Amino acid sequence: MNEHARGRLRLGVNIDHVATVRNARGGDTPDPLRAAKIAEEAGADGITAHLREDRRHIGDADIEALMATLSVPLNFEMAATDEMQKIALRHNPHAVCIVPEKREERTTEGGLEVAREENKLAHFIAPLREAGCRVSIFIAADARQIEAANRIGAEVIELHTGAYCDAHAEGRFAERDAECARLGEMAAYADSLGLEVHAGHGLTYETVTPIAAFPQVMELNIGHFLIGEAIFRGLGPAIHEMRRLMDAARA
Ligand code: PXP
């Protein structure tokens, strides 16, 4: 794709963990919708929310409220289940990101095994695409998975940056740099196949710059760190700083 057609790197703010805090007490506060509105005002290009099977953070009513109120696009993250497909088709969000989901995991641990489940996933995403959703597949930076995502008709892949971020946090810098290089190569490879490339998971102020600098990456989805940082500086300022770092990386 030519550089001018790429446009500015977009920031999707994931508000799941506002709901995590709310649900810890079972009441109405803090309200994820209010967080989404603040994120919009702070320059988020989209809002991301993951409706998990166990509803541990975002709930069905949150999705309804987001769809009814947001002025930026909703990126609806979900597992490839019949229940979630029905919900997505009822709401028709701008984008659907298919993620692997295990009940016992604390967060989305790995990318989706597209290569192993190619047929099933091709059938699963077809109605979503027909309904006009942009379908994104959350995968590891692995050529096999990228090729499979392309074959099943996904328009977008989101590269899992968790291994890169974990290696940074744990001081395994050689591994971090190798992961980062792999992410860059795979972003370029996916782009060469005509896929739009997004990235996310675990990104922080310390780790965002090299990922934002990859010219093929069009969107970053960031949640946990921003919601945590909001405790100290407020959500709007936390997002502004992320935006500043992303723009600086791209300049
Ligand atoms: N992208 C995807 C596909 C995710 O599943 C998540 C976590 O829900 C994120 C991005 C955001 O990750 P984090 O909350 O660690 O920033």
Side-chain angles (χ1 to χ4, degrees), residues 35-239:
K37 299 303 285 176
I38 292 171
E40 269 184 3
E41 280 159 26
D45 302 288
I47 298 296
T48 295
H50 182 179
L51 185 68
R52 294 186 77 104
E53 185 198 10
D54 63 9
R55 311 299 199 269
R56 70 174 70 156
H57 38 57
I58 291 294
D60 300 69
D62 294 321
I63 298 295
E64 303 250 348
L66 289 165
M67 281 302 297
T69 321
L70 284 183
S71 18
V72 295
L74 176 68
N75 176 30
F76 180 60
E77 277 184 21
M78 60 178 229
T81 64
D82 291 345
E83 182 200 13
M84 289 301 151
Q85 190 191 52
K86 280 200 197 88
I87 294 171
L89 290 172
R90 195 163 71 235
H91 291 297
N92 257 354
H94 164 83
V96 169
C97 181
I98 313 288
V99 302
E101 205 175 288
K102 287 194 231 113
R103 219 166 234 277
E104 64 281 9
E105 71 192 351
R106 240 186 304 175
T107 180
T108 313
E109 278 165 4
L112 201 67
E113 250 303 331
V114 200
R116 218 169 39 206
E117 309 230 34
E118 211 171 307
N119 260 340
K120 190 179 145 221
L121 283 167
H123 282 105
F124 184 82
I125 69 170
L128 296 166
R129 292 201 56 201
E130 277 157 30
C133 301
R134 273 176 87 66
V135 175
S136 162
I137 311 278
F138 189 46
I139 51 175
D142 176 319
R144 266 179 63 244
Q145 304 297 344
I146 291 170
E147 287 157 7
N150 191 38
R151 280 194 299 271
I152 66 170
E155 293 165 280
V156 182
I157 55 150
E158 180 163 333
L159 293 175
H160 197 311
T161 51
Y164 155 74
C165 292
D166 287 348
H168 174 82
E170 290 160 19
R172 293 178 279 114
F173 296 133
E175 271 174 64
R176 172 199 63 189
D177 295 345
E179 277 297 332
C180 189
R182 193 195 346 262
L183 286 161
E185 278 164 33
M186 290 300 116
Y189 179 52
D191 180 73
S192 77
L193 298 179
L195 290 159
E196 181 172 312
V197 182
H198 300 174
H201 207 280
L203 291 170
T204 65
Y205 295 151
E206 285 188 7
T207 51
V208 74
T209 299
I211 306 300
F214 295 134
Q216 298 86 3
V217 174
M218 305 293 294
E219 179 175 308
L220 299 180
N221 285 301
I222 309 181
H224 182 266
F225 175 80
L226 285 175
I227 303 307
E229 193 63 15
I231 294 169
F232 304 108
R233 52 170 112 194
L235 185 55
I239 292 171

